[in-house]
């Protein structure tokens, strides 16, 4: 008697398993090997810094995808929570000299609490109205960052001396086995290790009762309420967890750069995160990571190679019809429009389509 395929779902437990097939388990092993070996193979500090920024963006994008992709709550205020995390890391790590294992969770907690406080304002709003309210949050946060000088340093910003140390291990000055590693190599292991933890946590949230409640609210909130989902609590919880992930990313961003200023947490940063989840794939965890890999380090790459791009003015008053900042804005805008028109499900859909084609081969999909 023929045995059923391993990919056939026969029990509810099969549906919940993260790595159901040997191919997916082999893929996990390959990802772990890639994580461990990349800093050795990719010795160029610039490209490692691009991947470090992409990893930090992935953590924030996973949070935004839970709120927008799973709960259907459009938010343009993500930059505000990133800024809260960065300044919290600066104050807790620099002023209070808390260790990494305290200042990083504390920064995430502060962001989560702020999200929980602001979440109730979104209970009666949806769609464009909610987007406008969260847009106002960015300007309100920027005003606070510029005027709460004792904590933020005001317009000129502040240094963030919050070292990523876990006991005797300092990821910014890592050495083991008689070999010393650069700041970017150590940060790569730290950031992408945290990306794995956050992605696993978010994936488990999406597969459990709270995650299904988020999706029910997104698809039809009235029907969700009829079947017992508490709309208010679910929306506030979505804002809180999304804000906590954003603040976590902001804390890492501040510690990695060692300096933050209010100009970095503007509306453009929120648009950048919207672009990341649209390009990667709204409503998928791995789509947020794909989008961050594709776009997270793009501003740094454009700035690095701006001299070689025709028409780009690399300095004020220089030759060229577009500045580096404007070029970044134009690229993010074009990608948002292009993916929404041509492939609204993003890069994740292309991957899922390719996987389905190979599964069905030699039959057509």
């Amino acid at each position: 008697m023929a045995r059923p395929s391993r990919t056939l779902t026969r029990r509810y437990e099969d549906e919940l398993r993260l790595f159901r097939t040997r191919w997916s388990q082999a893929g996990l092993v390959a990802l772990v090997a890639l994580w461990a070996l990349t800093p050795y193979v990719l010795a160029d500090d610039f490209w490692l810094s691009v991947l470090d920024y992409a990893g930090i963006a992935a953590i924030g994008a996973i949070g935004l995808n839970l709120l927008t992709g799973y709960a259907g709550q459009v938010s343009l205020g993500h930059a505000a929570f990133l800024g809260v995390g960065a300044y919290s890391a600066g104050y807790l790590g620099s002023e209070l000299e808390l260790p990494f294992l305290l200042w990083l969770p504390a920064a995430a907690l502060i962001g989560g609490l702020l999200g929980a406080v602001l979440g109730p304002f979104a209970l009666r709003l949806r769609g464009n109205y909610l987007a406008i309210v969260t847009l106002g949050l960015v300007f309100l946060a920027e005003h606070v960052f510029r005027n709460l000088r004792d904590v933020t340093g005001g317009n000129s910003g502040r240094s963030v001396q919050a070292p990523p140390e876990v006991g005797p291990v300092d990821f910014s000055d890592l050495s083991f086995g008689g070999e010393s590693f650069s700041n970017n190599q150590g940060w790569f292991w730290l950031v992408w290790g945290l990306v794995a933890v956050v992605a696993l946590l978010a994936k488990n949230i999406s597969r459990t009762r709270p995650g299904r409640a988020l999706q029910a609210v997104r698809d039809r909130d009235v029907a969700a309420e009829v079947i017992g989902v508490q709309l208010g609590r679910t929306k506030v919880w979505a804002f809180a967890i999304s804000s906590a992930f954003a603040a976590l990313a902001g804390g890492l961003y501040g510690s990695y750069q060692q300096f933050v200023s209010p100009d970095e947490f503007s509306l453009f940063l929120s648009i950048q995160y919207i672009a990341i989840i649209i390009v990667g794939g709204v409503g998928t965890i791995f789509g947020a990571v794909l989008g961050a890999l594709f776009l997270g380090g793009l501003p740094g790459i454009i700035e690095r190679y701006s001299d070689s791009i025709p028409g780009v003015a690399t300095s004020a008053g220089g030759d060229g019809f577009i500045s580096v900042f404007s070029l970044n804005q134009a690229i993010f805008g074009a990608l948002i429009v292009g993916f929404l028109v041509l492939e609204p499900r993003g890069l994740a859909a292309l991957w899922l389509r390719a996987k389905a084609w190979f599964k069905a081969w030699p039959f057509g999909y």
Side-chain angles (χ1 to χ4, degrees):
M1 181 178 175
R3 300 177 63 183
S5 168
R6 285 177 177 272
T7 58
L8 181 65
T9 301
R10 291 170 292 169
R11 300 173 303 169
Y12 184 63
E13 289 80 4
D14 293 338
E15 185 70 27
L16 292 180
R17 288 172 61 192
L18 279 175
F19 307 101
R20 296 174 53 187
T21 65
R22 289 180 180 173
W23 281 108
S24 58
Q25 291 164 5
L28 175 64
V29 172
L31 286 176
V32 171
L34 191 65
W35 169 76
L37 296 177
T38 296
Y40 288 100
V41 178
L42 193 63
D44 191 316
D45 253 5
F46 169 72
W47 289 107
L48 279 172
S49 75
V50 168
L51 290 175
D52 291 343
Y53 280 118
I56 293 170
I59 294 173
I62 289 171
L64 183 60
N65 221 345
L66 281 176
L67 178 65
T68 301
Y70 283 87
Q73 306 296 299
V74 180
S75 173
L76 290 175
H78 216 52
F81 297 105
L82 285 157
V84 167
Y87 284 114
S88 297
Y91 185 77
L92 298 173
S94 304
E95 307 294 334
L96 302 185
E97 299 182 351
L98 295 180
F100 175 75
L101 292 180
L102 283 181
W103 67 253
L104 187 63
L109 182 63
I110 291 170
L113 289 175
L114 274 176
V117 169
L118 296 170
F121 292 99
L123 294 182
R124 300 177 66 85
L125 301 171
R126 66 172 66 175
N128 297 335
Y129 297 103
L130 179 59
I132 291 170
V133 167
T134 54
L135 174 63
L137 185 61
V138 175
F139 297 115
L140 179 62
E142 191 174 344
H143 176 77
V144 173
F145 295 156
R146 293 187 186 282
N147 291 281
L148 194 62
R149 293 185 176 85
D150 291 340
V151 177
T152 65
N155 289 328
S156 55
R158 64 159 299 153
S159 67
V160 180
Q161 301 300 324
E165 296 177 358
V166 181
V169 179
D170 182 357
F171 285 93
S172 63
D173 187 19
L174 199 60
S175 62
F176 57 83
E179 189 173 355
S180 297
F181 299 92
S182 69
N183 177 59
N184 287 325
Q185 286 174 306
W187 268 95
F188 177 90
W189 281 312
L190 173 64
V191 166
W192 283 97
L194 287 172
V195 170
V197 172
V198 169
L200 184 62
L201 178 61
K203 185 67 180 175
N204 279 323
I205 288 174
S206 70
R207 300 182 318 146
T208 52
R209 182 183 177 88
R212 290 193 293 273
L214 292 178
Q215 294 165 65
V217 170
R218 174 196 64 191
D219 294 340
R220 187 68 69 181
D221 55 356
V222 175
E225 194 167 23
V226 169
I227 62 174
V229 175
Q230 296 187 15
L231 290 185
R233 191 170 68 179
T234 302
K235 288 184 178 180
V236 170
W237 184 84
F239 264 96
I241 193 72
S242 170
S243 306
F245 283 171
L248 179 68
L252 290 169
Y253 177 81
S255 177
Y256 180 61
Q257 290 213 136
Q258 300 186 342
F259 182 84
V260 291
S261 70
D263 295 333
E264 296 174 87
F265 306 105
S266 63
L267 176 61
F268 176 65
L269 184 61
S270 289
I271 293 173
Q272 184 178 342
Y273 273 85
I274 291 286
I276 286 174
I277 64 169
I278 288 175
V279 170
V282 177
T284 56
I285 302 300
F286 77 95
V289 179
L290 284 178
L293 276 171
F294 192 67
L295 292 177
L298 188 62
I301 295 174
I302 290 176
E303 189 169 357
R304 171 73 175 262
Y305 295 103
S306 58
D307 290 336
S308 307
I309 304 175
V312 175
T314 55
S315 60
D319 294 334
F321 60 88
I322 189 169
S323 66
V324 173
F325 180 72
S326 298
L327 179 61
N328 277 315
Q329 287 181 313
I331 290 175
F332 283 119
L335 285 171
I336 289 174
V337 173
F339 270 86
L340 283 178
V341 171
L342 301 175
E343 183 47 272
R345 294 173 59 202
L347 296 173
L350 300 179
W351 165 251
L352 293 173
R353 202 174 298 149
K355 201 165 71 166
W357 187 88
F358 280 107
K359 269 186 179 179
W361 189 86
F363 304 102
Y365 170 69

